[in-house]
């Protein structure tokens, strides 16, 4: 059990009455595809693709902008994960007529800047002059596209920048900023703990307490040993979680998502400590999840002793994850976690979804479904 005033570090946001994620310290994510694609269309429509020295060419309209855009934030830092398929029509006055064509970007994503992303230009006219202009457009439009897409990302970042928490902040003697409300809450918690400690001390030194703890005497004055009671150990009620998931990713890659410390650190957003060998310990989310590997078979099986840091001392569940390659190139996971404290079952189940499977989907890119 967590001590009064400490709280469970996973749910610090919920301890506020208004539920605000102050300073955006904790992980947030949401889909912003509709807004982001509308913004990108706005940035592209009417934009110049060439400067005056190379000629004149504008994007007339955006005919396609599909895909996904996800906004994430951790420790106040914005992260945008996106993959978009973009098509647009362009026009350029040329001599006594107008050239026109299309621009296609099959995969614009966060892993590659726009200047190195493959972009295909086509022209409706099939003359030598048109072909020459098309080569110029292909080679000279990169700077303009870089400005457009960088402006798009900068605008998104500005729109989703971190809100400053209300109220003034003050600096302590060591220069660390202090939120007065947080400081007052901490002082109140300390005061409550001190009160409980004082009450406990008073109770243990009271006459009634002393009488019960001291040996009694018989009528003849001979000391009689006090009766001893054996503490009753209440058996911990537990539950078992069983899940089947189908990930759209090859077996070896999905297996690495749970055994490679670099990948685990990437999707959790916190340094992961793990050595995937029997008997070796692991630690995720800065010690919120700890345990050790019991058994591991490459691309087949992981068995772990696994616990959350607010569980009863020395109590571990057993996590068993079986991996199976599916003919479609996907990977099936069969997860069984036994010995979960009953009052922690819902939180543990939801935690797997929110902090493991959904993060693998958003950060690594392996979509999944529950079977």
């Amino acid at each position: 059990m967590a001590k009064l005033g400490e709280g469970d570090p996973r749910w610090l946001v919920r301890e506020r009455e208004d539920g605000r994620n102050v300073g955006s310290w904790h992980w947030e994510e949401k889909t912003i595809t509709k807004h982001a694609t509308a913004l990108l269309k706005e940035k592209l429509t009417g934009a110049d693709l060439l400067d005056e020295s190379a000629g004149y060419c504008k994007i007339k309209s955006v005919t396609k902008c599909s895909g996904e855009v996800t906004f994430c934030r951790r420790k106040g830092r914005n992260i945008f994960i996106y993959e978009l398929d973009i098509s647009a029509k362009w026009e350029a006055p040329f001599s006594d007529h107008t050239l026109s064509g299309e621009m296609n970007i099959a995969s614009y994503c966060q892993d590659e800047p726009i200047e190195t992303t493959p972009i295909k230009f086509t022209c409706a006219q099939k003359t030598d002059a048109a072909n020459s202009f098309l080569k110029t457009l292909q080679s000279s439009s990169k700077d303009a596209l870089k400005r457009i897409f960088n402006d798009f990302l900068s605008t998104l970042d500005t729109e989703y920048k971190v809100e400053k928490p209300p109220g003034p902040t003050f600096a302590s003697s060591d220069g660390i900023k202090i939120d007065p409300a947080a400081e007052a809450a901490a002082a109140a918690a300390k005061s409550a703990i001190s009160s409980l400690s004082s009450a406990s001390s008073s109770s243990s030194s009271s006459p009634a307490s002393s009488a019960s703890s001291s040996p009694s005497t018989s009528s003849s004055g001979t000391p009689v040993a006090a009766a001893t009671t054996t503490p009753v150990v209440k058996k911990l009620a537990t539950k078992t979680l069983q899940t089947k998931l189908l990930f759209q990713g090859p077996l070896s890659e999905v297996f690495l998502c749970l055994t490679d410390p670099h990948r685990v650190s990437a999707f959790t957003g916190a340094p992961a400590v793990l050595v995937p060998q029997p008997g070796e310990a692991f630690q995720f989310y800065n010690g919120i999840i700890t345990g050790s590997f019991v058994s591991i078979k490459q691309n087949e099986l992981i068995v772990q002793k696994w616990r959350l840091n607010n569980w009863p001392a020395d109590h571990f569940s057993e996590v068993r994850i079986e991996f199976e390659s599916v003919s479609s190139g996907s990977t099936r996971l069969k997860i069984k976690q036994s010995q979960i404290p009953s009052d922690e079952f819902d939180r543990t189940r939801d935690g797997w979804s929110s902090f493991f499977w959904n993060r693998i989907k958003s950060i690594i890119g392996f979509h999944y479904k529950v079977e």
Side-chain angles (χ1 to χ4, degrees), residues 54-122:
Y56 178 81
C57 183
K58 272 186 179 292
I59 295 177
K60 183 180 179 182
S61 63
V62 178
T63 56
K64 182 180 182 181
C65 188
S66 61
E68 292 184 356
V69 183
T70 302
F71 161 70
C72 310
R73 182 155 53 205
R74 173 83 165 98
K75 296 183 180 180
R77 185 170 67 93
N78 289 351
I79 304 167
F80 295 97
I81 301 168
Y82 49 90
E83 185 168 4
L84 297 171
D85 183 357
I86 304 163
S87 296
K89 293 184 177 181
W90 59 266
E91 282 189 352
F94 191 79
S95 299
D96 57 348
H97 61 284
T98 299
L99 297 178
S100 61
E102 291 189 353
M103 175 186 75
N104 299 103
I105 306 174
S107 180
Y108 169 55
C109 64
Q110 75 281 351
D111 295 326
E112 188 168 6
I114 190 63
E115 54 266 35
T116 59
T117 297
I119 302 173
K120 183 180 180 181
F121 286 94
T122 58

Side-chain angles (χ1 to χ4, degrees), residues 16 18 20-24 162-169 178-181:
R16 291 181 56 96
D18 58 9
R20 294 182 68 253
N21 185 2
V22 179
S24 293
V162 179
E163 289 183 26
K164 293 182 179 179
T169 57
I178 302 172
D179 182 344

Side-chain angles (χ1 to χ4, degrees), residues 167-245:
T169 57
F170 305 94
S172 62
S173 58
D174 56 4
I176 300 174
K177 288 187 176 181
I178 302 172
D179 182 344
E183 188 176 31
K190 288 181 180 178
S191 176
I193 293 170
S194 297
S195 298
L196 286 177
S197 299
S198 299
S200 175
S201 299
S202 300
S203 174
S204 63
S205 60
S206 64
S209 174
S210 299
S212 63
S213 61
S214 60
S216 60
T217 58
S218 66
S219 56
S220 61
T222 306
V224 178
T228 58
T229 58
T230 303
V232 178
V233 179
K234 186 177 179 181
K235 185 177 180 180
L236 182 66
T238 63
K239 289 185 177 182
T240 297
L241 170 67
Q242 297 192 70
T243 313
K244 280 187 182 181
L245 306 175

Side-chain angles (χ1 to χ4, degrees), residues 19 39 44 55 63-64 81 88 98-99 123-124 127 154 168-169 191 195 214 221 232 269 292-293 311 323 343 345 359:
L39 177 64
L44 286 169
T63 56
K64 182 180 182 181
I81 301 168
T98 299
L99 297 178
C123 184
T127 63
S154 177
T169 57
S191 176
S195 298
S214 60
V232 178
S292 62
F293 287 92
W311 287 7
F323 297 77
D343 57 356
F345 181 82
R359 298 278 181 92

Side-chain angles (χ1 to χ4, degrees), residues 31-41 65 67-69 84 160:
T31 299
I32 59 168
T33 303
K34 185 176 180 180
H35 170 68
T37 53
L39 177 64
L40 183 55
K41 287 180 180 179
C65 188
E68 292 184 356
V69 183
L84 297 171
Y160 289 91

Side-chain angles (χ1 to χ4, degrees), residues 260-272:
D260 176 44
H262 300 294
R263 298 197 189 200
V264 178
S265 297
F267 75 73
T268 60

